[in-house]
Amino acid sequence: MSNDNTQRTVTVSIQRFDPDVDKKPHMQDYQVEMTKGMTILDALHEIKTHQDGSVTYRRSCRHGICGSCAMLINGRNTLACKTPLIDEVGHKNRVTLGPLPYLPIIKDMVVDRTTFWEQYLRVKPWLIPPDDIPEKEFRMSKEEVNALHDAESCIMCGACYSSCTVIGLNKHYVGPHALLKAFMRVMDPRDEAPGQRLADLDGADGVYRCHTVFNCIDACPKGLNPTQAIETLRKLAQKRKKFETTRRKRQQHLHEPIPAK
Amino acid sequence: MRVFQLQRWSAIALLFFLTIHMIVVHYPPFHINFDNILVRLENPVWKVIDILFLLSVLVHALTGAYQVITDVDRAFDYRKGLAWAAAVIGVVAFVYGAATIWAFQLPV
Amino acid sequence: MTNDVIIHDVVVVGAGLAGTWAAMTAAENGVKDVAILSKIHPLRSHSGAAQGGIAAVLNNVRPVAGTGPRGPLEQIPPGEDPVDSFDLHMFDTIKGSDWLGDQDAIEILVKDAPDVVVQYEHMGCVFSRTPDGRIAQRRFGGHSAPRANFSADRTGLVLLHTIHEQALYHNVKFYSEWYVMDLIIEDNIARGVVAINVLTGKIQMIRAKAVMFGTGGYGQAYKVTSNAYANTGDGVAMAYDAGAPLMDMEFVQFHPTGLYRHGFLMTEACRGEGGYLINKDGDRFMSKYAPEKMELAPRDLVSRSEQTEINEGRGVMEDGQGLFLDMRHLGREKIMERLPEVRDLAIAFAHVDAIDEPVPIQPTAHYSMGGIPTTADGEVLANAKGDLVTGFFAAGEVACVSVHGANRLGTNSLLEASVFGRRAGHAIADFVKGGAKLYPVTSDPVKRNHQQVQQLFDNDGPELVEDIVQELKTTMTNKAGIYRNEEDLKSALDTIHRLQQRFKNIRVMDKSSRFNTNLSMTLEAKHLLTFSEVIVQGALNRTESRGAHSRTDHPKRDDESWLKHTMAHKGEDGRPQLSYKDVTLYWDRFPPQERKY
Amino acid sequence: MYKTTGFISFFLRRLTGIALVLYLFMHLWVIGSATGGPEVFNARLNAVQTPIFKLLEIALLAAVVYHAFDGIRLLIVHYFDVTDYRKSLFYAAFVVAAILTVAGGIPLFLFMLEGAG
Ligand SMILES: Cc1cc2nc3c(=O)[nH]c(=O)nc-3n(C[C@H](O)[C@H](O)[C@H](O)COP(=O)(O)OP(=O)(O)OC[C@H]3O[C@@H](n4cnc5c(N)ncnc54)[C@H](O)[C@@H]3O)c2cc1C
Ligand code: HEM
Ligand code: SF4
Ligand code: F3S
Ligand code: FES
C-alpha cells in the first residue's frame, strides 16, 4: 500500500487536442496539489474547474461503474476515477494522461466511440427469448448464472477495445467488448438462437480475428477476461449444431425447477 | 472451414514435422548435400513425410501471411482476392516442392 | 432556422431506467418515432450504479423456521405458504414514507412490481438464483420480508443494460450526448425541448407531441454524495423554470453507508446480508435506536442514529466523522458471491478488504424523494388541484408520484423508475395514438438559449463556477442535511441567494463549440442553485420532523398541520411560491401510526 | 501503441512468422534446384553454406523456436482454459526458446567453425 500522507505538488501532463484549432496533439503540463486519497479524476476535476476549463474528458459516476472515464494513464488504459493519483506519479512526481488509443480523438481525452458501439450493436446484444414464455421467471441454475458473471459485469468502458492491437490495425474486427456480450447471450440458457449468433461471429471479422494478444485482459478495469470468452466462442463455433441441439434440450426444462443435487 | 482452423491444425502438424526436419536435416553433423539427402529419401515413407511436411508448412505459411495482410484495415476488404492469390501460390509452390522431393531418386 | 429543428412523435429526456422503459414501451405499443436524448451515453446513466436490488413480492424465499427475523434465508418449497404479500409491501412502503406517500400510487407500485421484475427476467436480465432456479431475494432496510430481487451487487447495471438492449431492439432512436437545456411549455402544453449537441456545440430544438423527463436525481447538491456527477437535477430545474411545479423537494435521503470521505455507496445489501454497524467502542449502536430492526431499520433512522453517534463523539477515523460497517463475519465466500463490487470499491478507495477489516463509512446524500409531481401514469401535474400539463410526462427519480413520501425504502426506486417508466410509456402511446397534435412553437427558444449561452461566454466575470458550487454543497450539507433547524435553513437560504447573485459574474473558461463540458457544467451549476432554493424553502416552512426531514427545533411529526405535500411554483419574483396538496390515504387500511422500528 | 507482454509476444511472433515465410520460399528455391540434378543442387547449396549463411541459420533457429513455442503457448490457451497463466506461459516460451537456441546454436556454431577451418 502506498503512503497516502505525502502531500505535494505533482505534474499532470495531459495530451491536448482540439481538431478545430490544433494540427496535431501536444502535451501540456499542469501542477496539482495532491491531497489525500485523490484520484486521477479528482486531479482532472481540479484542473478543469480551477485552472483550465478547456481540458475535456468524460466522467459521471466517480466510482468505476459507469464506464465513462476510461483513458490512457501512464501508457495503460484504465478508469481515471478508480486510479489513485499517488500510485501513478512515482518519484518523478508526474503522471501522463491521454485519450484511449486507436480511436479518433474528438477533444483531449474524449474519443469517438462510433465503431465501438456499432460493433456492440452488431452482436445483437439483446436476448432472443423462446416463444414459450412462462408466467413466472425462467428457471436458471446457479452455475448457469455464474457462467455469465464476467460478461454481465462489463461496463462497456472500452478499455479492452482500445488496447487491442488488432483493433489498432483493423476496425472491422468486432472487438473484445462485443464478443464478451455475445458470449453472454450465447451461454444464456434462455437464448433461442445461439447457433445463429455463433454463425454470425464465425467470420474473418469475428472470433477468428482475435490474435490472442491478451491486452484486453490486462486493460480491463473490472478484471474481466474477454480472451477466455473469445476462445470459448471459437470452440463452440466449430460445433454449432451440437450446441444448438443441447440448447433446445435445455430449453424444454426452462419452466421447471432445477433438480436438487 | 476457416483460415483460423487451417492455421492451427497446420501448426500442430508442423510441430511434429518441423521437429523431425530440424533433427534429421539441419542438425549437425548432418551435412546437407544431394547424396546425403538421397540416402534418406530413397525410403518412400520419408518421401511421404516430406510431402506432408511441405503441405503443412505451405498451408501454415500462406494462411499466416494472409492473416497478417488482412489484419490491415484496408486490405481486409480484398480478402477474397487475397485468399485466391494465396491458394494459387500455394498450389504452385506445392507442385514445385513436390517435384523437388521427387527429384531425389537414384538415376535409373 | 428550420434546419435547427428536429421532429419526433415522442421525445424522452434521460436514458436511465425510467426514460428507457417509457421509450421502449411506447415503441413496443405502436409509436414508431420515439427518440431519447441523454447528456451522457445511455449506459452511463446513474441507474447503472444501483447495487442492492429491486423490490417485488415474489415469495421465493423465507427465513428458516425458528431462526427469527434476521435468521438465514431458504427457498420456499413449492406448495408451502408465502411469507410476503402486497399488503405487507404496501405497509412497509407507507410506514417508510412516514405516511407522506400517496397510497393509491403505492398500491400500483407494489402490484405492478412482480410483473416488472419478471419482465426484466424474460428480457434477459441475469438475476441471482435460488437453488431451484428462481430469482433469489434478500432483505433490505425497512422491508419486513426478503423481497429485494438482485443480481449480486450490480443490479442496476444489469437492469440498465437489459432495458437499453430492448430499446435498441425496438428501434428507439438514441441521441447520445445531447444536453437538454430548456423545456418548451406554452399555454400549459409541452411542445418540445432545446438541446445542445455536445459533439458540435450546436443548439437545436426538438419538437414532439409528447415530452417525457426521466432525468434522474439531484444528489450533486450535497458535498458528500453517492450520486454521479451527472445527477444535477437538470430535469427538476428545467421543469420549474418552465412553470411546472415541484413537489416535496425538502425530502432528501441520506444513505447510512457511504464510503468514508468519498460518499460512494456501500449498498444496503451489506446490511441486508447481515453486516453490522459499530462505533468507536465496538458497540452495535443500532440496538439503542431500533432494537428490533437493528441495522435494517429504514435509512433516515439509521442515518440519524449515525449522525447522533458522530455528534456525541463515538465516531471513528481521525476526524471522528466515520463509523464502521463490519462484514467480516459474513465470510469470504458470501462476500465474493454477493458483494464483490462493494468489496472492490472499499479496496480501491479505502484500502480496506471487507473480508478482513471493517469498512469506514459515513452518511451520504443519496436520493431525491421530491421532484416533478405526476399521476400514476406519469402525467405531470400543473398545480395542487390536479390539472395536467398537456403532453408532458415524467417518471423515475425526477418525478414525485409520490410513492416514497418522506423517506424511500431501499430497492423501491429501481422499482419506481421501472414501474412508472413503463406506465408512462403506455400513457404516452395512448396519448400519441389518441390523436395528439404537434403544437407549433410560437416563441424562438433556440434564439433565446443561444443568447443565454452567448451571454455566459461574453460575461467573463471574476467568479469561478466551481467555487460557487462548492460553497453551495457545503451549505446544503451543513445546514440542510440530516438534521435541520430554522436558523440554519434561513442562513442557507441567504447563502443561496448570495450565490445566485455571484453566479451572474461567472467566467466560462472554455468558449469553444466542440464538446464543451465546461459549458454544461456551468448550466448544471445554475440548475443546482435553482432547485436548492426550493429544497431549503420547503424545509424551512415544514415545521415538523417527518421521514428524512428532521427538524431539531420541531422534533415531532405533526399530522394535524403537515400531513400534506409541498408544491413549489416559481413565482413572479423568481422565488418559490409554496402551496400544499393532500396526501391520498386509505384511512381504513393504513391509517397514520407512530413510526417505530 | 499499447505495450504489454501480450503485445511483445504478438509482435515477435509476427516478425518471426514473416521472416520464416520469406525463408521458406528462398529455401524452396534453393532445394528446388534438385530437379536439375545433383550437380546443380550441390553447387547452389554450397553457395549458401558460407559462414555468413551459417550465422543466419542460427538466427533462423532462434526465429523458429521462438515462433514455435509462442505458437504452442497459443495452442495451449486455445485448447485448455489457462488465460490466467498468459504471462508465465509467455516467459516460459521465451526461456525455452532461448535455451533451445543456445543448445542448437552451439553445435551449429562449432560446425560452422569446422566447416570454415
Ligand atoms: C449509488 C446508488 C445506488 C442505488 N441503489 C439502489 C438500489 O439498490 N435499489 C434501488 O431501488 N434504487 C437504488 N438507487 C436509486 C436508483 O438507482 C435511482 O433512483 C434510479 O436509478 C433513477 O433512475 P432514473 O431513470 O430516474 O434516472 P437516471 O438513471 O439517473 O438517469 C438519468 C438520465 O437523464 C439524463 N439526463 C439528465 N439530465 C439531462 C439533460 N439535461 N439533458 C439530457 N439528458 C439528461 C442522464 O443522461 C441519464 O440518462 C441507487 C442510487 C444510487 C446513487
Ligand atoms: C512448430 C512450428 C510452428 C508452430 C507451433 C506455429 C504456430 C503458429 C500459430 C499458433 C500461429 C497463429 C498466430 C495467431 O493466431 O495470431 C502462427 C502464425 C504464423 N506462423 Fe507459425 N508456427 C510454426 C511454424 C511456422 C513456420 C515454419 C512458419 C513459416 C514458414 C510460420 C509462419 C507463420 C506466420 C507467417 C504466421 C502469421 C503471423 C501471425 O499471425 O502472428 N510458422 N504460427
Ligand atoms: S470487458 Fe472490461 S475493459 Fe472491456 S468494456 Fe467491459 S469492462 Fe471495459
Ligand atoms: S487484446 Fe485483442 S486480439 Fe484478442 S485477446 Fe484481446 S481481443
Ligand atoms: S466516472 Fe464512471 S467509471 Fe469513472
Side-chain angles (χ1 to χ4, degrees):
Chain A
M1 205 95 342
S2 44
N3 178 9
D4 241 8
N5 286 318
T6 32
Q7 291 206 345
R8 50 190 145 115
T9 310
V10 301
T11 306
V12 180
S13 186
I14 299 177
Q15 179 179 318
R16 306 294 313 272
F17 184 50
D18 178 351
D20 291 341
V21 213
D22 306 322
K23 283 212 181 59
K24 58 180 201 310
H26 61 277
M27 300 305 292
Q28 191 169 344
D29 286 358
Y30 297 89
Q31 308 301 322
V32 173
E33 199 60 43
M34 182 162 65
T35 54
K36 194 177 163 191
M38 199 178 211
T39 62
I40 300 280
L41 186 65
D42 294 337
L44 277 168
H45 186 77
E46 171 60 24
I47 293 168
K48 183 168 184 79
T49 53
H50 283 124
Q51 303 183 22
D52 182 349
S54 69
V55 171
T56 307
Y57 51 92
R58 290 186 174 106
R59 89 283 183 262
S60 183
C61 71
R62 308 176 297 138
H63 65 273
I65 196 68
C66 76
S68 303
C69 67
M71 59 179 71
L72 191 70
I73 298 173
N74 282 343
R76 281 183 309 117
N77 285 354
T78 187
L79 299 175
C81 67
K82 255 189 128 171
T83 310
L85 184 59
I86 193 151
D87 289 358
E88 294 295 328
V89 292
H91 37 261
K92 284 203 211 118
N93 269 348
R94 186 184 190 83
V95 56
T96 308
L97 309 180
L100 291 177
Y102 307 138
L103 295 169
I105 300 175
I106 291 174
K107 188 170 167 184
D108 298 347
M109 259 85 78
V110 177
V111 290
D112 181 351
R113 290 165 174 276
T114 312
T115 56
F116 177 79
W117 294 118
E118 278 170 2
Q119 300 292 11
Y120 160 80
L121 205 56
R122 199 179 105 193
V123 302
K124 300 197 179 72
W126 49 82
L127 181 84
I128 303 173
D131 296 332
D132 184 14
I133 304 251
E135 202 174 298
K136 294 205 168 157
E137 66 267 46
F138 291 111
R139 298 299 181 105
M140 273 170 86
S141 72
K142 285 190 173 183
E143 291 72 33
E144 286 167 336
V145 168
N146 286 344
L148 308 178
H149 171 280
D150 256 29
E152 168 208 324
S153 323
C154 169
I155 57 173
M156 289 290 158
C157 67
C160 56
Y161 182 80
S162 106
S163 72
C164 172
T165 313
V166 178
I167 291 295
L169 293 164
N170 190 340
K171 294 286 185 302
H172 291 88
Y173 172 42
V174 58
H177 68 305
L179 287 173
L180 193 57
K181 189 84 207 180
F183 169 83
M184 166 165 168
R185 290 306 175 211
V186 166
M187 298 305 283
D188 193 322
R190 296 167 297 180
D191 197 86
E192 169 81 355
Q196 187 54 46
R197 288 181 190 279
L198 288 167
D200 290 346
L201 295 173
D202 198 27
D205 50 1
V207 283
Y208 300 122
R209 189 54 47 191
C210 165
H211 290 297
T212 334
V213 180
F214 297 122
N215 280 0
C216 50
I217 307 184
D218 291 333
C220 180
K222 302 301 270 183
L224 312 182
N225 188 337
T227 314
Q228 189 58 60
I230 296 171
E231 289 291 8
T232 310
L233 287 175
R234 278 172 180 166
K235 275 179 268 186
L236 292 180
Q238 291 167 49
K239 38 182 185 184
R240 276 208 290 284
K241 290 264 150 50
K242 199 170 143 227
F243 191 69
E244 185 83 36
T245 320
T246 326
R247 175 62 47 84
R248 287 283 97 77
K249 276 205 200 110
R250 171 68 185 90
Q251 289 199 333
Q252 289 171 359
H253 306 285
L254 269 178
H255 300 207
E256 298 157 22
I258 304 293
K261 274 182 280 309
Chain B
M1 187 199 61
R2 293 285 157 211
V3 175
F4 179 88
Q5 262 87 296
L6 279 180
Q7 205 186 11
R8 294 281 151 124
W9 292 333
S10 58
I12 295 170
L14 271 184
L15 269 181
F16 179 66
F17 293 125
L18 193 65
T19 316
I20 297 178
H21 182 77
M22 292 302 272
I23 291 172
V24 298
V25 183
H26 291 277
Y27 203 75
F30 185 84
H31 190 74
I32 305 173
N33 66 31
F34 194 92
D35 293 334
N36 282 351
I37 297 174
L38 182 59
V39 172
R40 179 171 62 94
L41 281 185
E42 250 182 350
N43 186 338
V45 175
W46 275 110
K47 271 213 171 67
V48 171
I49 288 181
D50 268 19
I51 287 197
L52 286 176
F53 175 43
L54 175 68
L55 184 70
S56 49
V57 79
L58 278 173
V59 167
H60 188 80
L62 287 164
T63 49
Y66 170 85
Q67 293 283 37
V68 173
I69 295 170
T70 53
D71 264 350
V72 179
D73 216 329
R74 249 173 298 163
F76 186 83
D77 295 332
Y78 305 108
R79 61 187 186 285
K80 277 246 158 62
L82 286 167
W84 280 109
V88 169
I89 295 174
V91 170
V92 170
F94 181 71
V95 170
Y96 184 73
T100 308
I101 295 167
W102 194 250
F104 288 95
Q105 313 213 350
L106 289 172
V108 254
Chain C
M1 290 193 128
T2 41
N3 68 332
D4 284 339
V5 181
I6 299 170
I7 295 179
H8 290 287
D9 277 346
V10 178
V11 53
V12 175
V13 184
L17 290 187
T20 317
W21 261 108
M24 196 274 285
T25 310
E28 205 182 11
N29 285 281
V31 184
K32 287 224 174 53
D33 184 17
V34 185
I36 299 192
L37 279 76
S38 176
K39 65 177 175 181
I40 47 182
H41 186 277
L43 293 180
R44 317 286 181 227
S45 299
H46 198 57
S47 291
Q51 302 168 340
I54 176 167
V57 176
L58 294 186
N59 274 312
N60 287 351
V61 304
R62 67 179 179 197
V64 173
T67 57
R70 279 187 300 280
L73 301 174
E74 61 176 8
Q75 68 191 29
I76 302 183
E80 292 197 20
D81 286 344
V83 291
D84 202 1
S85 70
F86 287 151
D87 269 13
L88 204 53
H89 190 182
M90 278 183 74
F91 177 74
D92 290 341
T93 306
I94 293 165
K95 185 173 173 191
S97 82
D98 222 345
W99 275 268
L100 194 68
D102 285 320
Q103 299 185 0
D104 50 348
I106 293 175
E107 180 157 33
I108 291 172
L109 177 83
V110 165
K111 291 193 168 157
D112 274 9
D115 192 49
V116 156
V117 171
V118 168
Q119 192 177 343
Y120 270 123
E121 204 275 343
H122 292 164
M123 292 187 306
C125 187
V126 184
F127 285 102
S128 297
R129 299 282 168 159
T130 62
D132 70 352
R134 284 175 286 175
I135 297 174
Q137 302 185 286
R138 58 160 66 119
R139 292 193 180 88
F140 241 75
H143 290 282
S144 45
R147 63 170 81 96
N149 305 283
F150 63 97
S151 178
D153 54 357
R154 54 185 117 77
T155 313
L157 182 74
V158 176
L159 299 182
L160 180 65
H161 280 243
T162 307
I163 193 72
H164 178 68
E165 290 152 6
Q166 291 298 314
L168 289 172
Y169 175 73
H170 287 286
N171 288 319
V172 170
K173 182 163 170 54
F174 282 94
Y175 290 85
S176 177
E177 306 195 309
W178 283 58
Y179 184 90
V180 176
M181 61 186 299
D182 203 2
L183 165 67
I184 309 165
I185 298 182
E186 289 175 6
D187 301 325
N188 204 31
I189 300 169
R191 301 165 192 233
V193 293
V194 179
I196 310 177
N197 178 348
V198 179
L199 183 60
T200 62
K202 196 169 164 195
I203 296 177
Q204 293 187 275
M205 171 155 67
I206 298 99
R207 291 176 51 200
K209 295 174 185 166
V211 178
M212 150 138 186
F213 270 19
T215 52
Y218 46 82
Q220 275 293 323
Y222 288 83
K223 199 173 182 69
V224 177
T225 173
S226 67
N227 281 206
Y229 274 123
N231 285 14
T232 49
D234 299 350
V236 281
M238 281 188 281
Y240 177 73
D241 282 338
L246 300 180
M247 191 160 100
D248 290 343
M249 290 290 286
E250 62 268 33
F251 296 99
V252 177
Q253 177 169 78
F254 289 81
H255 194 290
T257 52
L259 190 60
Y260 174 70
R261 280 177 19 126
H262 293 275
F264 309 135
L265 199 68
M266 301 279 104
T267 172
E268 190 167 308
C270 298
R271 285 168 286 137
E273 296 290 355
Y276 300 151
L277 290 172
I278 50 181
N279 63 15
K280 188 173 90 187
D281 311 324
D283 292 337
R284 277 181 77 187
F285 56 86
M286 281 313 293
S287 58
K288 265 187 297 189
Y289 305 93
E292 193 179 323
K293 292 246 156 139
M294 297 289 283
E295 281 84 0
L296 287 179
R299 292 177 179 170
D300 54 336
L301 207 165
V302 182
S303 289
R304 271 196 301 277
S305 315
E306 287 181 2
Q307 196 60 48
T308 308
E309 289 293 303
I310 290 170
N311 292 349
E312 291 175 2
R314 288 187 294 277
V316 301
M317 308 307 278
E318 57 247 54
D319 59 359
Q321 294 295 310
L323 288 157
F324 281 130
L325 171 63
D326 193 349
M327 292 182 276
R328 288 173 295 185
H329 55 285
L330 301 182
R332 169 176 292 270
E333 199 181 325
K334 190 155 185 186
I335 292 178
M336 296 301 281
E337 184 199 330
R338 301 224 153 158
L339 304 162
E341 297 277 339
V342 170
R343 174 175 174 256
D344 273 3
L345 269 184
I347 292 177
F349 292 103
H351 303 314
V352 164
D353 187 339
I355 294 173
D356 309 315
E357 284 168 275
V359 181
I361 49 102
Q362 74 185 123
T364 182
H366 182 57
Y367 185 83
S368 338
M369 266 76 74
I372 305 171
T374 66
T375 66
D377 289 315
E379 303 145 314
V380 174
L381 302 181
N383 51 39
K385 284 189 306 232
D387 299 323
L388 302 178
V389 182
T390 310
F392 187 27
F393 298 80
E397 198 168 336
V398 69
C400 183
V401 188
S402 121
V403 289
H404 307 309
N407 172 62
R408 164 179 82 95
L409 294 189
T411 67
N412 264 355
S413 66
L414 287 179
L415 180 62
E416 179 210 11
S418 313
V419 164
F420 293 103
R422 188 170 76 161
R423 290 180 71 90
H426 282 294
I428 290 169
D430 293 345
F431 176 76
V432 170
K433 288 191 295 185
K437 279 205 304 235
L438 186 72
Y439 286 97
V441 176
T442 49
S443 60
D444 193 345
V446 173
K447 192 165 157 210
R448 188 175 71 227
N449 282 282
H450 214 89
Q451 279 166 349
Q452 192 203 337
V453 169
Q454 204 51 50
Q455 215 171 7
L456 287 173
F457 282 169
D458 295 343
N459 204 349
D460 236 9
E463 295 279 3
L464 284 184
V465 180
E466 179 70 1
D467 295 338
I468 295 179
V469 170
Q470 283 309 331
E471 190 170 339
L472 175 73
K473 288 176 169 220
T474 312
T475 309
M476 292 300 285
T477 302
N478 295 343
K479 311 220 153 137
I482 298 182
Y483 285 119
R484 305 158 169 186
N485 62 54
E486 180 171 342
E487 192 189 333
D488 280 356
L489 289 167
K490 279 193 168 145
S491 122
L493 205 55
D494 276 353
T495 310
I496 293 171
H497 292 161
R498 218 163 16 81
L499 292 173
Q500 286 171 340
Q501 287 308 315
R502 276 173 63 190
F503 188 81
K504 297 199 170 117
N505 296 320
I506 52 131
R507 180 168 88 241
V508 181
M509 286 189 263
D510 187 356
K511 298 183 171 55
S512 66
S513 47
R514 174 188 282 262
F515 220 98
N516 190 337
T517 47
N518 199 188
L519 175 63
S520 44
M521 283 163 83
T522 309
L523 295 170
E524 286 165 354
K526 196 181 115 231
H527 294 151
L528 292 178
L529 289 169
T530 305
F531 70 74
S532 293
E533 185 182 355
V534 184
I535 297 180
V536 176
Q537 188 67 61
L540 187 58
N541 276 36
R542 190 176 277 275
T543 48
E544 65 158 351
S545 290
R546 183 185 294 274
H549 171 68
S550 183
R551 289 276 299 253
T552 46
D553 46 354
H554 298 277
K556 286 244 148 38
R557 192 174 87 192
D558 177 2
D559 286 344
E560 202 76 3
S561 6
W562 288 109
L563 187 52
K564 55 191 182 187
H565 299 294
T566 309
M567 295 276 264
H569 270 97
K570 188 171 175 174
E572 300 280 296
D573 58 351
R575 300 275 169 246
Q577 302 294 313
L578 304 189
S579 54
Y580 292 90
K581 179 175 173 287
D582 285 341
V583 180
T584 312
L585 293 158
Y586 295 157
W587 285 97
D588 48 336
R589 289 168 67 197
F590 305 108
Q593 301 172 1
E594 197 196 344
R595 187 161 166 260
K596 266 216 325 249
Y597 288 94
Chain D
M1 193 65 75
Y2 207 84
K3 296 191 198 79
T4 51
T5 47
F7 174 76
I8 295 166
S9 82
F10 170 79
F11 182 77
L12 290 179
R13 184 170 72 241
R14 280 256 127 135
L15 204 70
T16 52
I18 296 168
L20 287 174
V21 174
L22 295 180
Y23 166 79
L24 171 68
F25 284 98
M26 210 181 77
H27 190 56
L28 276 178
W29 176 74
V30 171
I31 58 170
S33 57
T35 45
E39 292 75 30
V40 190
F41 180 79
N42 285 343
R44 206 182 276 179
L45 210 63
N46 278 334
V48 291
Q49 302 262 330
T50 58
I52 302 283
F53 277 94
K54 284 281 171 197
L55 268 182
L56 276 179
E57 210 157 278
I58 297 179
L60 177 72
L61 177 71
V64 167
V65 287
Y66 172 76
H67 184 96
F69 280 95
D70 197 51
I72 291 174
R73 163 173 162 272
L74 293 197
L75 293 172
I76 293 177
V77 171
H78 180 66
Y79 290 104
F80 310 93
D81 300 340
V82 288
T83 49
D84 285 352
Y85 303 104
R86 60 193 181 278
K87 295 219 163 95
S88 334
L89 279 171
F90 169 66
Y91 297 129
F94 201 90
V95 168
V96 173
I99 293 173
L100 278 185
T101 306
V102 173
I106 290 171
L108 270 178
F109 191 70
L110 295 176
F111 195 54
M112 175 191 99
L113 294 181
E114 215 172 278

